[in-house]
Amino acid sequence: MLQPFGFTQYESKVYEALISVNEPLDATGIVKRSGVPRSKVYEVLHRMSEKGMILESTVDKKRQYTALPIESTIDKLKSDFEANVEHLRNIPITEAPSDDRVWTLKDDQSIQAVQKEMIQGAKDSIIISGWADDLRIHLPILEQFDRNGGQVEIHTIGELDTSIANVSILVPNSMHEALERSRILIIDNQEMMFAGIEQNAWQAIQTQSRPLVTFFKEFFYHDVALTEITKKYSDTILEDPSIRELLLKLRY
């Protein structure tokens, strides 16, 4: 019950044993109902008491315990979480010097969160590409940055309704067989993130390495160029099977 909130297995078992009865239990009763070893139960009870998860009382020289009610427990866990988040937010961070290390990151939510932080930290320019439904998540921040005078360039797969002027839009059709989900983000020409799907899971690299930032910046403009060429000369491309086959194999 409590393990997802950072409690140990024994702590969770003790809480479940106490919350599932309508009367206080002594240590012996808790051992029987929870399966926590007797050698461990007093240590666990002490920790749970220190955390404010159980109430204690002495009756006829015997120590008895009962669980904090469910609704009170929920309120406490919420308050603890919010306090921990605030503490984390206020930890002073020393700005690290740029380096050429390449960091890897997994999980789509984590990747999106890091992208958001990178975008919010931009000072001069943002270059970003991806599928329209992914880009919409960051669109309010991008548009605010653009209104404040920052340089924003976007390449999108799919229609994107935005006030930003510098947007290249590729509307895919059935011939774009090589299109894959991916994202490029370059901040201030100094830091980049590239994310893609491997084995049905999002993975990303993030770095300030100058060669990689330059490479992915050129990769971005490669995508923009292909998109604009495809739109402007679509009739010519469609009439020439060899050119069409070559272009449609490229990633975009």
Side-chain angles (χ1 to χ4, degrees):
M1 183 184 293
L2 295 180
Q3 283 182 264
F5 300 97
F7 291 83
T8 68
Q9 183 182 29
Y10 283 169
E11 289 171 344
S12 183
K13 284 185 173 183
V14 165
Y15 183 83
E16 290 178 39
L18 290 170
I19 202 68
S20 62
V21 295
N22 291 323
E23 59 182 6
L25 295 176
D26 59 14
T28 300
I30 293 171
V31 169
K32 289 179 180 178
R33 291 188 63 87
S34 69
V36 174
R38 180 174 291 276
S39 61
K40 296 287 186 181
V41 71
Y42 287 106
E43 175 188 341
V44 175
L45 287 168
H46 176 73
R47 290 203 305 266
M48 293 295 280
S49 177
E50 291 295 309
K51 294 177 180 179
M53 295 298 294
I54 61 174
L55 293 80
E56 302 179 56
S57 181
T58 302
V59 179
D60 295 331
K61 298 183 180 180
K62 183 179 289 187
R63 204 68 171 164
Q64 294 187 332
Y65 306 88
T66 189
L68 191 68
I70 286 288
E71 288 301 322
S72 298
T73 296
I74 292 171
D75 289 342
K76 171 185 165 49
L77 293 176
K78 286 181 179 179
S79 297
D80 288 349
F81 177 79
E82 291 169 358
N84 289 335
V85 168
E86 192 62 26
H87 174 71
L88 182 62
R89 181 177 287 119
N90 291 326
I91 292 176
I93 299 175
T94 303
E95 186 173 345
S98 61
D99 59 58
D100 59 359
R101 288 176 291 187
V102 178
W103 302 94
T104 60
L105 181 63
K106 298 180 180 180
D107 181 73
D108 188 29
Q109 298 302 321
S110 296
I111 292 169
Q112 291 278 21
V114 173
Q115 283 187 313
K116 180 179 178 181
E117 183 177 3
M118 291 173 65
I119 292 169
Q120 289 176 326
K123 298 177 181 177
D124 301 310
S125 65
I126 299 172
I127 293 173
I128 188 168
S129 73
W131 289 61
D133 54 352
D134 287 335
L135 295 176
R136 290 189 190 101
I137 298 172
H138 305 297
L139 202 54
I141 305 174
L142 294 171
E143 290 178 337
Q144 184 62 50
F145 185 80
D146 180 68
R147 286 193 294 270
N148 291 340
Q151 180 183 355
V152 181
E153 297 179 79
I154 299 176
H155 178 260
T156 173
I157 308 296
E159 294 287 354
L160 188 68
D161 184 15
T162 176
S163 60
I164 297 172
N166 202 348
V167 179
S168 176
I169 300 174
L170 173 67
V171 179
N173 56 43
S174 59
M175 293 183 297
H176 288 99
E177 59 184 42
L179 283 177
E180 297 178 352
R181 287 266 176 179
S182 63
R183 304 166 189 153
I184 295 175
L185 175 62
I186 302 170
I187 302 297
D188 297 333
N189 294 316
Q190 295 179 350
E191 183 177 17
M192 59 75 53
M193 172 181 278
F194 173 76
I197 296 179
E198 291 289 338
Q199 298 179 343
N200 298 319
W202 279 97
Q203 300 185 43
I205 60 170
Q206 180 188 19
T207 186
Q208 296 177 4
S209 167
R210 177 59 56 187
L212 283 174
V213 170
T214 300
F215 173 81
F216 278 97
K217 183 177 180 180
E218 293 177 355
F219 204 89
F220 171 86
Y221 288 119
H222 153 278
D223 286 356
V224 172
L226 282 177
T227 295
E228 298 307 314
I229 290 171
T230 302
K231 286 195 295 186
K232 189 170 184 178
Y233 300 104
S234 59
D235 292 339
T236 303
I237 291 171
L238 292 174
E239 290 173 2
D240 190 319
S242 60
I243 296 177
R244 182 179 67 240
E245 183 179 355
L246 176 61
L247 284 178
L248 295 179
K249 284 181 178 180
L250 297 175
R251 189 197 71 86
Y252 281 83

